[in-house]
Each structure stands twice: as C-alpha cells, then as structure tokens.
Amino acid sequence: GAVVSQHPSRVICKSGTSVKIECRSLDFQATTMFWYRQFPKKSLMLMATSNEGSKATYEQGVEKDKFLINHASLTLSTLTVTSAHPEDSSFYICSASNPAGGYEQFFGPGTRLTVL
Amino acid sequence: DAKTTQPPSMDCAEGRAANLPCNHSTISGNEYVYWYRQIHSQGPQYIIHGLKNNETNEMASLIITEDRKSSTLILPHATLRDTAVYYCIVTGTASKLTFGTGTRLQVTL
C-alpha cells in the first residue's frame, strides 16, 4: 500500500519558536495533501488542503499566517507552526492522495508537538 | 458531506467476527462510504470504501444496504491488533474527510 512518512515524530519546543513538520509520500505522487490536528481524546480536525504548486485552502478558524503550508513537490508538503504557544500542542497528522490512483487518503504516522 | 452515526464503543472476542454498523441516511447518490481506523497514537489507516456494491479486501468486508442508508464493516476474524477507533465517513470523490467520533472497538481474549 501507499506509504506516507512524517518527520519529526515528536518535537518539544519553547513558546515563541517556529516548528516545521514534513510530510512525504514515499511510493506515489501526491497531488493533494491534507493536514489534520488531533487533541487528546478527540477526533481529527482538518486544518487545510494543499494541492501541489498552489496555495493551501484553510478550514474555517485556522489561521493561515500561523500555520504555513507549502506543497512544492508531488512528494513533499510542509507545515510550519509559527510562534508556537502551549495551546498549539497537539498531534499533527498529514495525509496524501493521488486521484489517478484512487481517492482514498493515506495517512502519515503523526507528529506530536509539545510547546513549553 | 452526509453525516454518519456510529455506536461509541463495541467489544468483540478474539477470533470472532466484528460487525461495525454505520448509519448515513442522508447520503447522496455520488457519495462513497469510507472506513478508516486509528490505533492509539498513530495516524489513521485506510480500510475499505464502496459506493453501492459490497466490497471485500484483505482487511475487511463492507456491506452497504440497498437503499445506501447504512453500512456494516466486517472484520472476519478479529485479533487484539484490531483494537482501534473505527471511523465511517461519507464523502464525494476527491473530497476532504470529516472525522466523527467513531466506534471504539475493543477486542478481548
């Protein structure tokens, strides 16, 4: 099956710093990538959808200037949490899909962010 | 996207079939039924999807009622490793996934 990786798997940072999370599709070209956030004991919430080579589409209530998304290639998307604060601590998960191969999304293992 | 309703939790004995129901009475004609599962602290895993015909793969079977208002995911021989939260999602092709609260399946010895 399709494999999606994320790096890092966990990160701890100080309040006010920026953190970049990478999402890679390892064995397929992902024309669309999605970023989700999951708080403890809650379900996944979609943050944004990014298509390769174009600007991301953010969900209502998600600050685009705080959560910067770049999808510069068909195998890599990055999420940068700028000026992170403790309330940004969460489990961030990406997924990737390629309509040419079917519309199912394949998820990465997630990145646990802890902001002190 | 159509809303789905799932029981919050279910138990299943190891080796037995796990039948997870999902109601999606407002599903429209071009919407698919997708099933994903999430094992604790991992990313969700795609299981199966279907439009109106029953589907089977190496992981599970998906039974969709003729009126498409409900479906059942069947894990034929549940193991302890199948303990997870199972999400039933209805969406059109290339559409975003809206995760509900899912069903927490606990497989026991």
Side-chain angles (χ1 to χ4, degrees), chain A residues 49-90:
Chain A
T49 302
S50 73
N51 292 298
E52 185 264 337
S54 62
K55 289 185 178 180
T57 302
Y58 289 80
E59 294 299 301
Q60 192 171 11
V62 178
E63 300 174 58
K64 62 180 67 175
D65 294 330
K66 180 169 183 62
F67 298 99
L68 302 178
I69 292 172
N70 183 281
H71 190 170
S73 80
L74 286 172
T75 60
L76 173 64
S77 176
T78 61
L79 167 68
T80 301
V81 183
T82 63
S83 186
H85 291 284
E87 58 266 30
D88 298 322
S89 298
S90 188

Side-chain angles (χ1 to χ4, degrees), chain B residues 30-105:
Chain B
N30 62 348
E31 289 184 312
Y32 287 72
V33 180
Y34 283 80
W35 282 84
Y36 287 80
R37 72 180 182 184
Q38 186 178 26
I39 295 170
H40 183 61
S41 295
Q42 297 182 23
Q45 178 187 23
Y46 164 80
I47 301 174
I48 199 167
H49 75 281
L51 183 63
K52 50 185 173 182
N53 296 325
N54 297 337
E55 302 287 344
T56 295
N57 63 21
E58 63 277 6
M59 287 184 68
S61 295
L62 173 60
I63 308 299
I64 303 174
T65 58
E66 193 168 340
D67 63 7
R68 301 186 71 234
K69 293 186 177 181
S70 66
S71 61
T72 301
L73 177 74
I74 301 173
L75 306 179
H77 306 286
T79 71
L80 296 177
R81 287 182 293 181
D82 292 321
T83 292
V85 179
Y86 288 76
Y87 297 98
C88 168
I89 302 169
V90 170
T91 188
T93 57
S95 293
K96 57 189 181 184
L97 299 177
T98 301
F99 284 80
T101 53
T103 295
R104 184 172 298 277
L105 175 68

Side-chain angles (χ1 to χ4, degrees), chain A residues 8-65:
Chain A
S9 58
R10 58 179 63 234
V11 57
I12 301 172
C13 71
K14 292 182 179 179
S15 185
T17 60
S18 295
V19 175
K20 180 185 284 189
I21 303 170
E22 292 185 348
C23 177
R24 294 182 185 271
S25 56
L26 299 185
D27 52 1
F28 68 104
Q29 294 186 323
T31 52
T32 305
M33 286 185 168
F34 304 82
W35 286 96
Y36 297 80
R37 179 169 52 183
Q38 185 175 32
F39 292 108
K41 298 189 186 302
K42 300 293 185 181
S43 191
L44 283 79
M45 296 294 293
L46 179 66
M47 299 175 67
T49 302
S50 73
N51 292 298
E52 185 264 337
S54 62
K55 289 185 178 180
T57 302
Y58 289 80
E59 294 299 301
Q60 192 171 11
V62 178
E63 300 174 58
K64 62 180 67 175
D65 294 330

